[in-house]
Amino acid sequence: MESLPKDTTVEKRKKFIGDTCKLHFSNAPLKITRAEGQYMYDEQGTQYLDCINNVAHVGHSHPDVVDAAVKQMRLLNTNSRFLHDNLVQYAERITNTLPKKLSICFMVNSGSEANDLALRLARTHTGHQDAIVLDHAYHGHLTTVMDLSPYKFNQPWAKGNHHKEWVHVAPPPDMYRGKHCDAEKPGEAYAKEVKKVINIAHSKGKKIAAYYAESLQSCGGQIIPPPDYFKNVFKYVREAGGVCIVDEVQVGFGRVGSHMWAFQLQGSDVTPDIVTMGKPMGNGHPVAAVVTTKEIAASFAAGGHQYFNTYGGNPVSCAVANAVLDVIEKEKLQERAITVGNFVQSELKKMMEDFEIIGDVRGTGMFIGIDLVKSRKTKTPATVEAKHIVKRLKENYILLSNDGPHENVLKFKPPMCFSKEDAKRLLSKLREVLQELKDLEPELMALMHHVPKMAHNTKKRPFPSDDDDDNQSTTSSGVGMSSTGSPIAVDLDNDEHFRVPEKVPCLE
């Protein structure tokens, strides 16, 4: 198939792809034509350091993974109603990484499918219907799991996708902005919030089928639960007749370094009833799974359910998934996650001494969040600044993203082959951009927060065009240049969205 000019690709995408399918860097999108390891390349061969792709877990286009897929595809690809070694060997390997009682696998194609199936299992096993989720959680894009995702349904633009009565939302165990972040035993305090939710549900005649939680919240802002949180939550949920589901779709497969699964950070005595996994499982190939207990699987079967997934567990997908496990072991990627991740966190915490905007650095392994604030005292989210930093890093050929309830958390979750030298490159450029912000702060604040509003009211452009007689211009990425030649970012996509309140209270 012929390679198209970038302008043609953009034109055809607008014509044939739905508007809701958003692009990174919409003002100046990248056309990525190949990738290798932790590097991505555009149509001109420009290299970008990938700090965001937790899907390409062992590295883009890893030869062992590619070879496994090609080799099996040349032999056979069919459904799981035929016996095949790849399926049973993978199921055995993956369950061996989990607590013993988690021993039955259901293979699917995506994390969304996995979380949808997990709810079916929980409802069938318990006979109950309702679910508890954490605020800002994201569990997928299917209708059912969208209903379980406040990150999606609790948004001003979420028309027609509102909070359902069977979904009960508890506050996340946020140790920076949360209501119990200063408690003596925050794990217990946050767990009691779930207990309150259960009691309220029971008072309305509701019964809890499942408690859902990402082991570490990703879209919610890189939230790391305090010790004893899951231990106490699981106790309360099971006492209420529900099952405990942990979502490892974004953080599993050794990303945290010290353990294969992020929930294991909470201790060996913490065992969920169902684990869902996806994204990194196939290194970009669509494969995912649900792992549960014999008892829950037996309830599903006794309920008359015959589960069949056309592509779930096919020989090619299982060959790919087996190859990913091989690479994690062979290249000691968990050890790398610890070494590189600890280095990144250590250097970021040193940066806090120089840059007041860094309010918090949190994470484990290669899962790190940098919480940007206007004031450490008020913890007011620095949303516009976060977006500026992401754009400036992109202009320096580094890809990073911002997320969280206020979109002010820089997220570090790169391919696991990310090296210490890569980390030094990221940290060096990040320091440069933070220094730009610090040096230009008064002018920057005026441009970011006041000019868009004035432009809206007076119907004047926030920036003059290249033809205007002015010392300031705007690049195609929406980054203005001051009279000194230094970059100043203004988000021209949505001025209103990026003005945040002066003070953000603890989550209620």
Side-chain angles (χ1 to χ4, degrees):
M1 188 172 290
E2 67 173 324
S3 178
L4 303 173
K6 183 176 179 178
D7 288 347
T8 303
T9 304
V10 171
E11 180 183 342
K12 289 183 180 294
R13 177 160 178 136
K14 289 179 180 177
K15 184 176 180 180
F16 298 114
I17 305 300
D19 289 341
T20 53
C21 300
K22 299 299 183 182
L23 286 163
H24 283 309
F25 314 108
S26 58
N27 287 329
L30 293 175
K31 182 175 181 178
I32 298 298
T33 58
R34 68 183 182 92
E36 182 178 349
Q38 60 273 50
Y39 307 109
M40 304 180 82
Y41 300 85
D42 68 14
E43 78 282 4
Q44 296 177 335
T46 305
Q47 182 195 85
Y48 291 85
L49 178 61
D50 183 1
C51 304
I52 61 177
N53 245 307
N54 59 335
V55 177
H57 192 62
V58 300
H60 293 279
S61 309
H62 195 290
D64 291 5
V65 178
V66 174
D67 288 348
V70 172
K71 182 179 178 181
Q72 182 56 54
M73 198 172 290
R74 283 178 175 151
L75 292 174
L76 170 72
N77 199 24
T78 187
N79 62 61
S80 61
R81 282 179 168 158
F82 298 95
L83 289 172
H84 201 280
D85 292 347
N86 289 359
L87 172 60
V88 295
Q89 288 172 347
Y90 186 79
E92 181 178 31
R93 290 181 72 182
I94 205 67
T95 55
N96 284 342
T97 69
L98 291 159
K100 286 186 177 181
K101 80 171 199 174
L102 294 167
S103 59
I104 303 296
C105 296
F106 294 87
M107 302 296 290
V108 294
N109 305 299
S110 70
S112 296
E113 281 193 7
N115 282 319
D116 179 75
L117 176 58
L119 183 62
R120 289 178 61 191
L121 292 170
R123 283 175 165 173
T124 303
H125 182 67
T126 64
H128 303 165
Q129 287 297 306
D130 288 27
I132 298 171
V133 297
L134 297 178
D135 203 3
H136 316 306
Y138 176 62
H139 295 292
H141 64 82
L142 300 180
T143 300
T144 304
V145 290
M146 283 281 282
D147 291 342
L148 292 168
S149 302
Y151 177 77
K152 290 293 186 181
F153 71 68
N154 193 21
Q155 298 285 358
W157 42 258
K159 297 177 181 178
N161 186 34
H162 304 297
H163 189 171
K164 301 299 190 293
E165 289 187 1
W166 59 271
V167 177
H168 309 275
V169 181
D174 185 345
M175 290 302 295
Y176 183 60
R177 280 195 176 80
K179 63 190 299 183
H180 299 301
C181 54
D182 296 322
E184 183 178 347
K185 295 181 178 180
E188 292 183 18
Y190 278 116
K192 286 179 180 177
E193 294 293 331
V194 176
K195 177 64 172 173
K196 289 179 187 177
V197 170
I198 293 171
N199 290 340
I200 292 170
H202 285 177
S203 71
K204 297 178 180 179
K206 305 282 189 177
K207 292 185 177 181
I208 303 301
Y211 162 84
Y212 267 85
E214 299 157 272
S215 299
L216 309 175
Q217 273 198 337
S218 181
C219 295
Q222 312 294 85
I223 302 300
I224 314 298
D228 294 328
Y229 175 68
F230 282 141
K231 177 181 178 179
N232 286 286
V233 169
F234 288 5
K235 175 177 177 289
Y236 296 142
V237 171
R238 286 166 178 156
E239 287 174 351
V243 300
C244 302
I245 301 170
V246 296
D247 180 339
E248 291 272 346
V249 172
Q250 300 223 45
V251 295
F253 292 91
R255 176 160 294 278
V256 300
S258 58
H259 299 83
M260 186 68 164
W261 307 104
F263 76 82
Q264 293 170 326
L265 293 167
Q266 292 271 305
S268 59
D269 58 340
V270 173
T271 301
D273 302 300
I274 301 174
V275 177
T276 60
M277 56 191 73
K279 289 189 190 298
M281 187 171 171
N283 209 53
H285 181 92
V287 57
V290 178
V291 183
T292 189
T293 65
K294 289 181 179 179
E295 293 77 14
I296 292 175
S299 294
F300 197 51
H305 296 274
Q306 181 187 95
Y307 185 76
F308 173 67
N309 188 310
T310 302
Y311 301 112
N314 72 74
V316 173
S317 294
C318 291
V320 167
N322 273 304
V324 170
L325 291 182
D326 291 339
V327 175
I328 292 171
E329 295 171 8
K330 183 175 70 174
E331 299 185 4
K332 302 185 186 306
L333 294 183
Q334 284 184 245
E335 289 89 335
R336 180 183 288 256
I338 294 171
T339 301
V340 176
N342 287 350
F343 172 73
V344 171
Q345 281 211 64
S346 174
E347 293 300 306
L348 287 171
K349 287 177 180 177
K350 291 177 186 176
M351 279 192 208
M352 292 180 73
E353 299 173 9
D354 298 323
F355 302 106
E356 182 78 13
I357 193 173
I358 302 177
D360 189 38
V361 174
R362 52 184 178 262
T364 177
M366 287 201 198
F367 182 83
I368 298 171
I370 309 166
D371 201 312
L372 302 181
V373 297
K374 294 177 181 294
S375 162
R376 288 184 184 172
K377 183 178 180 180
T378 64
K379 301 181 182 178
T380 305
T383 303
V384 178
E385 293 84 346
K387 194 171 183 70
H388 166 80
I389 290 168
V390 169
K391 286 184 176 180
R392 287 291 292 129
L393 287 174
K394 180 244 190 179
E395 291 169 353
N396 282 276
Y397 312 108
I398 296 173
L399 305 181
L400 197 67
S401 64
N402 60 300
D403 212 334
H406 306 286
E407 300 185 21
N408 69 306
V409 179
L410 302 180
K411 297 172 64 174
F412 176 77
K413 49 185 183 66
M416 296 274 281
C417 53
F418 202 87
S419 71
K420 195 171 181 179
E421 290 305 309
D422 297 319
K424 289 178 180 177
R425 176 181 167 189
L426 166 64
L427 292 163
S428 174
K429 290 299 179 183
L430 178 59
R431 176 174 281 277
E432 288 180 17
V433 175
L434 289 172
Q435 190 62 51
E436 291 172 0
L437 279 170
K438 187 175 181 179
D439 292 344
L440 293 170
E441 190 167 352
E443 183 180 2
L444 183 62
M445 293 305 107
L447 285 167
M448 283 181 172
H449 300 285
H450 299 306
V451 172
K453 185 175 182 180
M454 178 188 72
H456 175 76
N457 291 337
T458 63
K459 298 185 179 180
K460 291 181 179 179
R461 287 170 296 166
F463 288 113
S465 72
D466 292 338
D467 296 328
D468 288 333
D469 183 18
D470 198 288
N471 290 328
Q472 184 172 274
S473 64
T474 306
T475 69
S476 61
S477 64
V479 176
M481 301 300 292
S482 73
S483 58
T484 62
S486 299
I488 302 170
V490 177
D491 177 41
L492 303 180
D493 290 335
N494 190 338
D495 298 333
E496 294 296 328
H497 181 68
F498 290 100
R499 280 199 293 277
V500 296
E502 285 304 312
K503 189 171 183 179
V504 177
C506 287
L507 294 172
E508 296 297 334

